[in-house]
Amino acid sequence: MANVLPTAKRVQILSMLCEGSSMRSISRICDVSINTVSKLLVDAGEACAAYHYETVRGVASKRVQCDEIWSFCYSKAKNVEGAKAAPDGAGDVWTWTALDPDSKLILAYMVGDRDAETAMFFIDDLKDRLANRVQLTTDGHKVYLDAVAGSFAGDIDYAMLVKMYGELGPKGPERKYSPAEFNGSKKRKITGNPDIDKVSTSHVERMNLSMRMGMRRFTRLTNAFSKKVDNHIHALSLYFVWYNFCRQHKSLKGSSPAMAAGLTDTLHDMEWIVGLIDARAPKPGRPKTYRKR
């Protein structure tokens, strides 16, 4: 069982999960069962999700950037119909993130489809975590329009950054994994009075790279993708709490994003996350009923 492992072993496993190692490679390196790694991921994900929900609130941000990053569970959407025993949640999975570009704090995240319903839940959650009016920038995804209008009711300075891409030329194997050619972008004022010079999604898009580097299940062209959507969410919950509260960000001169945002004055470590797990574990006690011999 993962909860009886020594603290040092659990710290090692969780650290590797946040540094881009796959679950099977962790089980080999740490000499533990794959089920132990999976159980520890679930426990850590639940503890971290609860901590993020309770703690990342009342954040006095000035600017917020939002974006969505694609991945898939079990198989890509086009292959789900022919897949054998595909579980619920199989197919494309989108992770929505909201980042404060000044403190680098992940304010909110949501896992779901890239549709209007998920956008609504995501923006509602973001609004509940902010302490004041902010300048918000999103990409040109149209579902943001109704979601932002419904959640903030005009009490926001909101702009869209619409990027335009062109074709790379004749299709061929050399361009299969190449990005489309970037042709420019347009900045559109949507609500309020956003500062056009500060309309950007660069920081949250850079966060997408950090996520792909830090969570093996986001790595393209491998078989390390998530097999269960629940474990996908647990991995995200663990990663974001580790990123916000434990990871020293180079641009913050050794501080964590949570310290820069004023949520804590302490740089935590992975042993602290193990403490979050232990705090949620049920206390051992006597059974309420006894069998008669």
Side-chain angles (χ1 to χ4, degrees), residues 83-97:
K84 182 179 180 180
D88 291 339
D92 293 348
V93 176
W94 289 86
T95 303
W96 303 61
T97 54

Side-chain angles (χ1 to χ4, degrees), residues 103-118:
S103 67
K104 307 301 185 293
L105 183 79
I106 289 290
L107 291 157
Y109 64 95
M110 187 73 61
V111 175
D113 295 323
R114 197 169 183 255
D115 58 11
E117 182 179 19
T118 307

Side-chain angles (χ1 to χ4, degrees), residues 188-221:
R188 295 174 50 196
K189 288 185 178 182
I190 305 297
T191 304
N193 188 31
D195 184 346
I196 290 298
D197 292 336
K198 295 181 179 179
V199 172
S200 172
T201 56
S202 297
H203 294 88
V204 71
E205 288 173 358
R206 177 58 180 81
M207 184 63 201
N208 290 344
L209 174 61
S210 296
M211 292 169 62
R212 290 203 183 278
M213 295 292 290
M215 286 175 280
R216 183 64 171 167
R217 61 192 66 235
F218 277 85
T219 307
R220 302 176 189 270
L221 303 178

Side-chain angles (χ1 to χ4, degrees), residues 150-195:
S151 296
F152 288 93
D155 187 23
I156 193 170
D157 300 313
Y158 174 39
M160 275 186 166
L161 182 66
V162 182
K163 295 185 176 181
M164 295 165 287
Y165 297 91
E167 291 292 331
L168 287 175
K171 292 184 178 180
E174 70 280 357
R175 59 157 291 184
K176 185 175 182 181
Y177 303 113
S178 300
E181 182 180 357
F182 178 68
N183 289 338
S185 61
K186 292 182 179 179
K187 297 179 179 181
R188 295 174 50 196
K189 288 185 178 182
I190 305 297
T191 304
N193 188 31
D195 184 346

